[in-house]
């Protein structure tokens, strides 16, 4: 009788621990991009919403977009395009470790609080150098502010800077967009 009760308690505890692990894994999946394992758009939106009305200090933000993904997909297939996205994500995450969000197909955002201006821009320089070495073309817009009252406004400015660089990429490479 005593053995059966211990066995029953063990089964209940084990089952409870398994449910807890499953719940944690589901939460992980809801915040992580399956292709890159970076934070996903859900986590990005939750962060932005959570920071509304808060003042941020010594913060760098960057919008990063891959150049030529459509051409890679068209010429080499979507598996090659996915590999390009994964490789770019690995480089970005290596430099900005866990401050990176994949918010769209080939769009990434970095939000790095409590970082010195020089360090942030040094990391952006390293990012560009590493992307060049890996033969990954990106357009990026980056902004650092000592104090931010409206994160969304700063993100929009970084996005605009990225699009200016993207337009230059298209102009220089004589790529005509539809």
């Amino acid at each position: 009788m005593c053995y059966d009760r211990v066995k029953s308690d063990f089964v209940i505890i084990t089952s409870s621990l398994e449910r807890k692990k499953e719940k944690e894994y589901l939460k992980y999946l809801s915040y992580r991009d399956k292709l890159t394992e970076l934070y996903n758009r859900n986590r990005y939106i939750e962060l932005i919403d959570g920071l509304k009305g808060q003042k941020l200090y010594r913060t760098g933000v960057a919008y990063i977009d891959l150049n030529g993904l459509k051409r890679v997909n068209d010429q080499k297939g979507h598996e090659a395009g996915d590999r390009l996205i994964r490789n770019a994500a690995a480089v970005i995450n290596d430099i900005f470790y866990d401050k990176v969000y994949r918010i769209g197909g080939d769009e990434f955002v970095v939000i790095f609080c409590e970082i010195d201006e020089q360090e942030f821009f040094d990391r952006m320089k390293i990012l560009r150098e590493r992307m060049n070495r890996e033969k990954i073309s990106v357009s990026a817009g980056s902004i650092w502010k000592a104090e931010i009252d409206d994160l969304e406004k700063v993100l929009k400015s970084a996005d605009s800077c990225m699009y200016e660089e993207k337009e230059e990429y298209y102009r220089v490479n004589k790529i005509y967009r539809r």
Side-chain angles (χ1 to χ4, degrees):
M1 174 95 175
C2 188
Y3 173 76
D4 288 340
R5 184 164 186 214
V6 169
K7 185 178 174 184
S8 175
D9 288 347
F10 178 76
V11 169
I12 291 170
I13 291 169
T14 302
S15 178
S16 177
L17 289 173
E18 286 173 2
R19 277 196 307 276
K20 184 178 179 186
K21 279 183 181 178
E22 287 172 1
K23 190 175 180 181
E24 287 171 2
Y25 183 65
L26 288 173
K27 185 175 181 179
Y28 174 86
L29 289 177
S30 72
Y31 288 139
R32 293 289 179 164
D33 175 64
K34 192 170 184 177
L35 180 64
T36 64
E37 297 186 12
L38 297 175
Y39 285 124
N40 63 18
R41 188 174 190 85
N42 292 338
R43 180 68 180 109
Y44 171 77
I45 291 168
E46 186 177 271
L47 176 73
I48 300 303
D49 288 346
L51 293 174
K52 279 186 181 161
Q54 291 187 35
K55 193 171 279 213
L56 302 177
Y57 298 96
R58 299 174 34 243
T59 301
V61 300
Y63 255 83
I64 303 162
D65 189 82
L66 303 182
N67 295 324
L69 178 64
K70 182 181 179 343
R71 188 173 12 163
V72 170
N73 282 335
D74 291 349
Q75 294 176 356
K76 298 179 182 178
H78 288 277
E79 190 174 303
D82 286 350
R83 198 169 34 255
L84 175 64
I85 291 168
R86 279 193 306 271
N87 292 342
V91 171
I92 299 166
N93 196 50
D94 192 40
I95 295 165
F96 290 104
Y97 46 83
D98 234 18
K99 310 276 190 234
V100 186
Y101 304 81
R102 180 177 176 216
I103 61 165
D106 62 347
E107 275 190 306
F108 303 90
V109 172
V110 172
I111 302 172
F112 203 129
C113 299
E114 299 299 327
I115 186 169
D116 292 325
E117 181 178 16
Q118 188 64 50
E119 183 182 351
F120 178 74
F121 286 115
D122 285 348
R123 286 174 188 245
M124 287 302 298
K125 182 179 178 190
I126 292 167
L127 174 79
R128 289 181 184 281
E129 290 168 354
R130 291 256 324 262
M131 290 295 192
N132 282 335
R133 265 198 318 271
E134 299 287 329
K135 298 190 179 355
I136 301 171
S137 177
V138 297
S139 293
S142 55
I143 296 174
W144 182 91
K145 297 274 188 187
E147 209 173 275
I148 295 176
D149 291 320
D150 186 349
L151 179 59
E152 287 184 87
K153 184 178 176 183
V154 176
L155 286 165
K156 284 179 185 172
S157 295
D159 189 34
S160 292
C161 292
M162 182 272 296
Y163 274 106
E164 286 175 23
E165 193 170 296
K166 175 79 76 182
E167 288 301 321
E168 181 68 8
Y169 165 81
Y170 285 123
R171 189 186 65 69
V172 166
N173 291 286
K174 296 179 175 51
I175 298 171
Y176 301 99
R177 295 169 68 178
R178 289 182 264 175

